[in-house]
Amino acid sequence: MTEDGGPVRINGSPVALPDDPRVSLLDLLREQAGLHGTKKGCDQGACGACTVLVDGQRVLSCLALAVQYAGREVVTIEGLSEGDTPHPLQRAFVEHEGFQCGYCTPGQICSALGMMAEVERGVPSYVTADLGAATAGLDGDELRERMSGNLCRCGAYNGIADAVAETFAGRTR
Amino acid sequence: MSDAHDAKLVEEGAALARRPGRTTTPVPAVPENWAGVAHADPLSRGHRGYVGTPLARLDGPVKVRGRAPFAAEYGYDDLAYAALAYSTIPKGRMTGLDTAAAEASPGVVLVLTHRNAPRLNPQPGYDMSLRDPGIGFERLPVMQDDRVHWNGQPIALVLAETQEQADHAASLIHATYAAEPAVTSFAAALAAGTRPLEIFGRRIRVELGDAEQALAASAVSVDETYRTPPHHHNTIEPHAVTVAWHGDELRVHDSTQGVLHTAWTLGQILGIDPARIRVTSPFVGGGFGVKVLWQHHVLAAVASRTAGRPVRLALSREGVFRMTGGRPPAEQRVAVGADEDGRIRAIVHTGAYATTRHSPWPEPLSMASQNHYASDAFVLDTSMAYADLVQNCSMRTPGSTIGFFALESAVDELAGKLGMDPIELRLRNETATNPIGGKPFSSRHAAEAWRAGAERFGWSRRSPVPGSVRDGEWLAGMGCAMVSHHYQRRPGGAARIRLTADGRARAEVAAHEMGMGTATVQSQILADRLGLDIDRVSVGYGDSAMPGRFLAVGSSQSAGIGGALLAATRNLMDELLKLVRDGSPLAGLTLAEVGAVNGGLAALDDPSRHESYESVLARAGRAELVVEGSGEPPAEMANVSMFSFGAIFCEVRVSSVTGETRVSRILGSIDCGRVLNPRTAASQFRGGIVMGLGAALTEETVFDDRNGRIVNASLGDYHVPAHLDVPPIDLIWTDIPDPYAPAGARGIGELSSTGVAPAVANAIHNATGRRIRDLPITPEKLL
């Protein structure tokens, strides 16, 4: 099934698309590519644990059919650290207690990266007062609203917000 | 904590990681028969080492990289995937079960139903007496007959080459039923009559004095009914197992709060020696009471044996709702009577919850009122109403979360009637001894927690007049409530320590990490007990082959491991002294005369008489020394009443237009004994508070009363708190060691969640003048 632009690229490596069109991008990652860092929390697009970056945008991989991603560039949690050096956001999650059990964590981290790209593009959120502004910020409720698609049942929200805010401080002005 | 405080913790953590970690004071072994002796443990006497410092989670780097393996992530060649089909009636018999289409579906390996499942032994349920390590939550046969006991019971398992094939084939299973009359609502269950809750075969009813008479005679009283809905835990990781048989040995990769319990219970059901079942669970994606044994464990093991292939059975989110239970619905009466000066004279707390006839699990909601206010008279009792619904289960702070909602709402109502500040009312009813039974508390600093919290939160700025603070469409108010949870150390804890010639120590305990920071905190304790640097110790856990009977429930695990480790370190020091040779600085010293310091042992009265572990082992020609130790029976709970205390303060804003409640500030002021690690402890406190916010405002499992089927079986329809629902949560604690607890620490996993819902309800009353006695407090209730 590669006639529409070849395989999907995952963390820089090509991965063949599945024969079964029902396979989600999430299950392709977990069951065929052996990349278990992306988590299955609900398989219904409601919890955000499966969030990955596709061409820099955050995507719920459980709602994405793998066969639709030919030629696209997928980055998962495993693709964020360079060798043994973690991404600054990964380090910030440890320093700020941005998790307990760790299950929602990869999705939170990927989501935060995609969110920041949206902010930098000036994409408004539900709580954005000035919809016409060219850039958005993370002040007030913005960060928490924009991360609200990623549930954390352990309740590490304060730490996650602190980690994201610290990592991206200065990037929104 | 403020951001500045948090930053300070991070800085301290970094500094800690750099420092040698060698305390200058030798730490003696905890003597035998320590349990029940005040300050027997040097770590409860203010010893300064790693304990009490904000060490970052040792498993953090693995988790943030997505490299922590969870149960559904273990691969096997020839792995087959399972999916379940669920009943669609609440009670009756299957008259037909058509599996032909599923069996013919592509990729299907096996369809398992009651018709072809092998015969299994009955499920041993959770054993309240703790005699047997049972962890089954429904005493029902697993796929052994055509009976249906609830709407959502697994009726077939499909095994296929891929998950997609299994899911599709499971959708082709078709059952016909002969339905029987069923009780499918809490109201119907109550109407059919209740029966008293018994634990250990005894009613939990508590009667002291004549509470009804004292209530009637009280100058001021409240007498109200409080209702709470069913809840589901909704750990973000759904339940999952990957299982494989190697001959007669069963390997289970699980997500569980009880590795040994799961192995034992599976052994009973499958009829094999539990020692031939190895359950590992190194990471658990949230537990909160629900990662116990459910039918999927049994079905996966049976399917794997039948098909001769390794099997993965990961429940769907819907499956989690259908076949694992949560907190039951409850209806409670709380009446409190007091003198005009606020002295409480009577407390009546009675109520009922829904459960199944096959339930081993109690929800003792009236016990919430048992240990706190100094009242002359009590009537406390809990009863059960039988329903044909999914089995109820232990959920973070069983009994207390809903019991405290009723009690602490009622106390707030009483304060309003008295015209008294609700904190003042609570302080006037403080007690040094448990009002039931009269035992002294081991360490109770609730009043300090109340006062410090009120000061920090700015409670003096609260308007006592409900509905008097308005900001545009928003009505603002403050509320507070007590939190409390009992200390518990369960019997059966044991640990093994391996000290190697390079001077490193590794402890192993069959305990669990579900996000609490188990390995991190126990490593701190182990390092201090052995006088080792933190990077020279490690703690293994999550494996039924390791020592000890631990269940990560009831906020008991830290104390359980603590009791086991102090015994094992004592035994290690004792064995080391036996290896000491003439010429050693330690020669001639007895166990009582030495302590651990600077990577070895030293004389307590002369720390210069020191020999490192490497040296002791090298002189003795030993590559390693392995010892085990068992926790003593929990005698510390015999003569003193051991509880943690504290208070939740919150500020809410309620829209007068939509009825929406937003929580704008929260503070937890905690008295839990010694805080072993401020980072992980703060995280647990915050987590409990967040779960409490869900119970207060959004969470409810909704059953279709006609057929007992859950209608909101998804995370889209069952609303757990999201980022925007959670403001920065401030925390302070007394940090006063409990003289009777290992390392001076009482368990904290459930404490903070107990008082959140009433604090929110009380704040909403202060904001709006509306008293809501029915959770969750959704907008329509405030319009």
Side-chain angles (χ1 to χ4, degrees):
Chain A
M1 300 263 305
T2 58
E3 60 274 16
D4 293 328
V8 57
R9 294 184 68 80
I10 300 174
N11 299 329
S13 301
V15 173
L17 292 178
D19 293 329
D20 187 338
R22 297 172 298 189
V23 175
S24 67
L25 180 57
L26 174 60
D27 283 331
L28 180 78
L29 292 170
R30 287 172 63 84
E31 306 301 333
Q32 295 181 36
L35 295 169
H36 295 113
T38 307
K39 302 302 181 190
K40 183 183 283 191
C42 71
D43 219 19
Q44 295 174 317
C47 76
C50 66
T51 306
V52 297
L53 297 166
V54 178
D55 298 327
Q57 295 198 28
R58 49 179 172 171
V59 162
L60 296 171
S61 62
C62 75
L63 295 185
L65 292 174
V67 291
Q68 294 181 299
Y69 285 79
R72 307 288 293 275
E73 188 73 42
V74 176
V75 173
T76 70
I77 191 73
E78 292 93 342
L80 295 182
S81 40
E82 304 210 359
D84 277 343
T85 306
H87 188 283
L89 185 57
Q90 291 174 311
R91 196 159 43 226
F93 263 63
V94 177
E95 286 172 1
H96 288 278
E97 281 285 310
F99 57 90
Q100 287 182 19
C101 77
Y103 199 77
C104 75
T105 313
Q108 300 275 359
I109 290 172
C110 287
S111 182
L113 292 168
M115 174 209 69
M116 202 53 221
E118 292 162 17
V119 169
E120 290 178 328
R121 289 199 305 275
V123 178
S125 82
Y126 170 73
V127 298
T128 305
D130 181 2
L131 297 181
T135 59
L138 290 180
D139 296 342
D141 290 340
E142 282 282 1
L143 190 159
R144 290 186 296 133
E145 161 59 20
R146 289 170 185 270
M147 289 298 293
S148 283
N150 289 84
L151 301 177
C152 170
R153 189 57 158 163
C154 300
Y157 289 128
N158 284 182
I160 296 168
D162 289 347
V164 175
E166 181 196 74
T167 302
F168 297 128
R171 289 260 305 264
T172 58
R173 299 291 184 281
Chain B
M1 282 172 289
S2 65
D3 289 348
H5 189 54
D6 268 341
K8 187 164 161 282
L9 291 186
V10 172
E11 192 182 304
E12 285 172 7
L16 177 73
R18 288 192 297 270
R19 77 171 210 210
R22 289 181 173 172
T23 55
T24 51
T25 315
V27 179
V30 181
E32 288 187 52
N33 302 314
W34 63 271
V37 179
H39 301 293
D41 181 357
L43 296 191
S44 75
R45 298 196 296 256
H47 168 81
R48 292 194 64 78
Y50 289 108
V51 169
T53 57
L55 189 69
R57 289 170 190 271
L58 300 174
D59 57 10
V62 174
K63 285 178 173 173
V64 298
R65 285 178 166 90
R67 289 186 192 163
F70 291 85
E73 297 166 3
Y74 288 84
Y76 282 92
D77 292 341
D78 208 25
L79 181 71
Y81 293 80
L84 298 174
Y86 304 99
S87 71
T88 55
I89 67 160
K91 190 176 183 182
R93 217 165 49 73
M94 284 180 274
T95 52
L97 185 57
D98 183 356
T99 58
E103 281 158 8
S105 190
V108 168
V109 174
L110 168 73
V111 177
L112 191 74
T113 70
H114 66 90
R115 293 189 301 241
N116 61 346
R119 295 306 93 187
L120 300 169
N121 295 324
Q123 277 195 65
Y126 178 80
D127 183 358
M128 287 301 293
S129 74
L130 308 183
R131 197 171 44 246
D132 290 328
I135 197 179
F137 264 61
E138 59 208 14
R139 289 179 291 223
L140 287 174
V142 180
M143 213 170 271
Q144 297 292 291
D145 56 36
D146 59 4
R147 301 291 311 169
V148 173
H149 301 271
W150 81 90
N151 196 326
Q153 174 185 317
I155 56 170
L157 175 148
V158 176
L159 205 57
E161 300 295 340
T162 71
Q163 190 68 58
E164 290 78 12
Q165 292 168 336
D167 289 345
H168 175 66
S171 76
L172 303 176
I173 303 273
H174 183 67
T176 52
Y177 302 96
E180 295 169 11
V183 178
T184 52
S185 74
F186 184 35
L190 286 174
T194 62
R195 65 175 52 205
L197 171 62
E198 295 180 353
I199 298 179
F200 309 120
R202 295 219 315 260
R203 288 185 68 175
I204 66 163
R205 183 180 180 87
V206 170
E207 270 194 79
L208 188 68
D210 187 339
E212 294 288 0
Q213 197 275 331
L215 184 69
S218 294
V220 181
S221 64
V222 295
D223 191 343
E224 298 290 351
T225 301
Y226 301 86
R227 294 182 176 83
T228 51
H231 292 144
H232 265 79
H233 309 67
N234 276 311
T235 63
I236 301 297
E237 179 205 26
H239 299 64
V241 287
T242 304
V243 303
W245 289 88
H246 305 288
D248 288 341
E249 311 260 326
L250 175 62
R251 185 76 176 79
V252 181
H253 302 276
D254 198 3
S255 175
T256 180
Q257 301 179 220
V259 283
L260 179 132
H261 295 68
T262 299
W264 185 87
T265 309
L266 269 177
Q268 306 306 309
I269 298 169
L270 298 172
I272 61 175
D273 180 357
R276 300 225 303 270
I277 302 175
R278 182 164 171 222
V279 178
T280 55
S281 183
F283 295 98
V284 180
F288 317 122
V290 79
K291 292 284 177 67
V292 293
L293 184 128
W294 299 98
Q295 292 199 10
H296 70 287
H297 286 94
V298 182
L299 293 173
V302 168
S304 177
R305 191 160 59 182
T306 305
R309 292 176 62 169
V311 165
R312 174 167 305 152
L313 176 45
L315 296 193
S316 65
R317 179 58 54 180
E318 180 191 354
V320 171
F321 276 94
R322 297 266 174 261
M323 60 170 283
T324 79
R327 204 190 318 277
E331 183 175 291
Q332 306 171 66
R333 174 194 174 206
V334 173
V336 187
D339 295 342
E340 284 179 3
D341 65 358
R343 172 82 202 282
I344 291 175
R345 294 296 182 187
I347 296 179
V348 177
H349 190 160
T350 56
Y353 66 93
T355 186
T356 63
R357 289 177 193 278
H358 50 264
S359 168
W361 186 256
E363 185 77 19
L365 45 89
S366 59
M367 289 172 77
S369 290
Q370 198 164 299
N371 310 289
H372 307 295
Y373 296 117
S375 174
D376 301 331
F378 289 87
V379 175
L380 314 174
D381 204 1
T382 302
S383 54
M384 306 178 289
Y386 287 137
D388 301 302
L389 299 171
V390 65
Q391 169 61 42
N392 65 297
C393 177
S394 53
M395 183 165 171
R396 203 175 198 165
T397 329
S400 293
T401 291
I402 54 180
F404 273 60
F405 169 65
L407 173 68
E408 288 297 284
S409 293
V411 169
D412 196 71
E413 295 194 55
L414 180 68
K417 275 199 170 181
L418 287 161
M420 184 178 290
D421 182 273
I423 296 176
E424 179 59 29
L425 173 59
R426 290 177 171 96
L427 292 175
R428 284 189 191 187
N429 290 284
E430 261 300 293
T431 175
T433 56
N434 193 311
I436 309 296
K439 278 193 232 170
F441 288 104
S442 60
S443 174
R444 177 172 177 139
H445 302 278
E448 289 97 312
W450 274 111
R451 292 195 179 99
E455 171 73 22
R456 186 172 174 99
F457 194 70
W459 183 256
S460 61
R461 298 197 297 274
R462 170 182 179 266
S463 168
V465 182
S468 61
V469 181
R470 182 178 272 272
D471 173 16
E473 76 172 78
W474 296 92
L475 295 163
M478 294 187 200
C480 64
M482 164 179 65
V483 296
S484 182
H485 193 261
H486 59 273
Y487 164 92
Q488 187 185 16
R489 187 165 64 86
R490 299 160 69 95
R496 179 186 305 127
I497 300 178
R498 182 181 305 269
L499 180 70
T500 44
D502 57 359
R504 292 175 184 273
R506 175 176 173 80
E508 290 185 337
V509 284
H512 312 89
E513 162 58 38
M514 316 187 290
M516 309 87 88
T518 305
T520 305
V521 171
Q522 296 299 337
S523 292
Q524 291 173 265
I525 293 175
L526 182 63
D528 281 357
R529 293 212 189 280
L530 291 179
L532 284 168
D533 286 349
I534 193 79
D535 59 2
R536 297 179 83 79
V537 300
S538 62
V539 175
Y541 62 92
D543 185 339
S544 63
M546 290 179 178
R549 182 199 284 193
F550 298 99
L551 198 54
V553 300
S555 306
S556 67
Q557 198 179 245
S558 288
I561 302 172
L565 274 186
L566 68 81
T569 50
R570 179 206 305 129
N571 293 347
L572 181 71
M573 291 162 75
D574 205 19
E575 291 298 315
L576 275 166
L577 288 178
K578 291 177 188 166
L579 298 181
V580 162
R581 296 291 180 263
D582 291 343
S584 162
L586 301 174
L589 293 173
T590 65
L591 181 62
E593 294 167 339
V594 300
V597 66
N598 288 340
L601 299 183
L604 288 173
D605 61 0
D606 178 9
S608 68
R609 290 182 65 187
H610 176 275
E611 184 169 16
S612 70
Y613 298 130
E614 292 102 313
S615 172
V616 173
L617 290 181
R619 283 187 206 236
R622 297 286 292 264
E624 63 177 26
L625 179 59
V626 181
V627 300
E628 294 198 14
S630 298
E632 292 177 12
E636 69 271 32
M637 288 134 71
N639 297 319
V640 287
S641 193
M642 298 182 72
F643 283 80
S644 285
F645 307 95
I648 299 291
F649 301 79
C650 88
E651 181 183 81
V652 301
R653 292 158 61 81
V654 180
S655 168
S656 58
V657 177
T658 66
E660 179 189 19
T661 298
R662 307 298 301 174
V663 177
S664 46
R665 290 199 300 137
I666 314 180
L667 165 70
S669 180
I670 305 290
D671 174 44
C672 62
R674 189 170 192 189
V675 171
L676 299 173
N677 179 326
R679 287 166 64 117
T680 53
S683 191
Q684 285 218 68
F685 292 140
R686 289 197 173 100
I689 289 171
V690 172
M691 200 168 273
L693 289 178
L697 295 173
T698 60
E699 290 187 35
E700 176 172 13
T701 305
V702 180
F703 286 86
D704 185 331
D705 285 351
R706 299 166 304 178
N707 59 22
R709 193 163 183 85
I710 295 171
V711 299
N712 61 339
S714 80
L715 282 170
D717 297 309
Y718 182 103
H719 294 152
V720 307
H723 270 280
L724 192 58
D725 299 322
V726 179
I729 298 169
D730 196 12
L731 293 167
I732 54 177
W733 44 73
T734 57
D735 205 15
I736 300 169
D738 189 312
Y740 293 91
R746 297 186 297 262
I748 59 171
E750 292 162 288
L751 174 62
S752 69
S753 67
T754 55
V756 180
V760 171
N762 296 341
I764 288 172
H765 177 261
N766 182 244
T768 66
R770 301 284 300 278
R771 174 61 62 180
I772 308 300
R773 304 185 185 92
D774 178 13
L775 294 181
I777 307 176
T778 42
E780 78 281 3
K781 293 175 185 172
L782 290 167
L783 287 176

